[in-house]
Amino acid sequence: MFQVLVKEYKSDMIMSIDELIEFITESDSKEYAIIGNGGGGKSFLANKLLMNFKYSNEQLLNTDDYLLDSKIRKSSLFSNKTAYDKDSYFIPALERDLKMAIMGKKFMKLPNYKNEMFLYQPKDIKIFEGIALPFTESFFKIEKKIFIYTEKELELKMRLKRDNGIRGVPKEKILADFSKRRFQYESNYYKWMDDCDIIIKNMENKFDVLKE
């Protein structure tokens, strides 16, 4: 049982990814914010939305880029903090860029984990993705808020596939950090589900859209 009080949700519609994208976009919203647990499918869903609108990564704002430098997060002050903690991010910069994006302004995004920098070039539809979004005031003003999550076992599988297979993070580090990260998600972050318009349980090859 999670340690925070959230509404009870139950299975409503099980969909393929194509059906899910159609369901999400049928409201003609102009802004989408995607949050949820790490390895839960946020980036996957964001990229599917980009493809649907025929956009490129220049039209995506990902909050991973606003994590503080790893040297800072490895200090004793951050010993009990993970990506689910507001203090782990450069929130003033994220807040500024969210406001710029919503206003339709161009700006240079912060470097990503590969130290690559890209120009944010706004289009009619704005797509934001990442754990840090609910730590900002702008998140609550975004038209369509989406929470996508996985059960614990699937999260670990997806995290190993992405962080070890793609990003090259040592498997031992992923396993060592996993329990603490999952605990903080379940005890502190899961509550943001109640603030979202669409709630999706990612079951890897299909998606369950939940309702109260």
Side-chain angles (χ1 to χ4, degrees):
M1 178 64 68
F2 293 152
Q3 296 184 10
V4 295
L5 293 176
V6 294
K7 299 173 186 174
E8 289 193 10
Y9 296 93
K10 58 185 178 180
S11 176
D12 187 20
M13 297 174 285
I14 296 178
M15 304 179 180
S16 67
I17 185 59
D18 292 335
E19 292 169 331
L20 179 61
I21 294 299
E22 183 177 356
F23 173 78
I24 289 172
T25 57
E26 66 183 5
S27 66
D28 296 324
S29 296
K30 297 297 184 183
E31 300 161 0
Y32 296 90
I34 304 169
I35 67 171
N37 65 285
K42 299 183 303 299
S43 296
F44 175 75
L45 184 58
N47 285 322
K48 288 294 183 180
L49 283 172
L50 288 175
M51 291 173 61
N52 178 77
F53 295 119
K54 296 181 172 57
Y55 288 175
S56 72
N57 280 331
E58 294 173 349
Q59 279 79 56
L60 175 66
L61 194 63
N62 186 326
T63 70
D64 286 357
D65 301 338
Y66 296 81
L67 277 165
L68 296 177
D69 186 271
S70 61
K71 292 180 180 178
I72 297 174
R73 290 186 285 116
K74 288 177 182 177
S75 71
S76 59
L77 294 174
F78 285 79
S79 59
N80 294 314
K81 299 182 187 295
T82 69
Y84 298 108
D85 194 295
K86 181 177 181 178
D87 292 341
S88 295
Y89 297 88
F90 188 14
I91 294 298
L94 175 57
E95 191 77 78
R96 177 201 62 194
D97 290 352
L98 283 170
K99 290 177 179 177
M100 291 279 284
I102 291 170
M103 289 188 295
K105 304 292 186 180
K106 292 183 181 180
F107 59 89
M108 189 63 69
K109 294 195 284 185
L110 294 185
N112 61 21
Y113 73 99
K114 294 181 179 179
N115 207 31
E116 300 168 327
M117 294 182 68
F118 297 97
L119 180 68
Y120 179 85
Q121 303 195 56
K123 297 279 189 179
D124 291 340
I125 308 296
K126 312 297 190 305
I127 301 172
F128 312 110
E129 178 256 308
I131 291 173
L133 287 172
F135 303 142
T136 69
E137 294 179 4
S138 295
F139 171 73
F140 300 95
K141 300 174 184 178
I142 292 170
E143 285 184 48
K144 187 71 69 176
K145 294 178 281 294
I146 301 166
F147 195 105
I148 184 168
Y149 75 100
T150 57
E151 298 290 358
K152 183 176 182 178
E153 294 75 15
L154 182 55
E155 178 187 348
L156 180 57
K157 176 183 175 181
M158 299 301 289
R159 187 175 292 283
L160 286 168
K161 180 179 178 181
R162 182 197 67 186
D163 291 352
N164 178 251
I166 298 175
R167 297 181 178 176
V169 179
K171 183 177 179 179
E172 295 74 19
K173 175 173 172 50
I174 297 169
L175 293 173
D177 292 344
F178 180 73
S179 293
K180 181 169 68 173
R181 289 174 62 99
R182 185 73 191 192
F183 174 79
Q184 290 203 355
Y185 161 70
E186 292 180 353
S187 60
N188 299 320
Y189 194 85
Y190 189 73
K191 62 186 178 184
W192 299 117
M193 180 182 287
D194 290 349
D195 293 285
C196 291
D197 306 291
I198 299 175
I199 300 166
I200 304 160
K201 182 178 180 180
N202 180 355
M203 298 184 287
E204 191 170 13
N205 294 317
K206 54 187 177 180
F207 303 85
D208 192 356
V209 178
L210 306 183
K211 68 175 183 180
E212 293 180 34

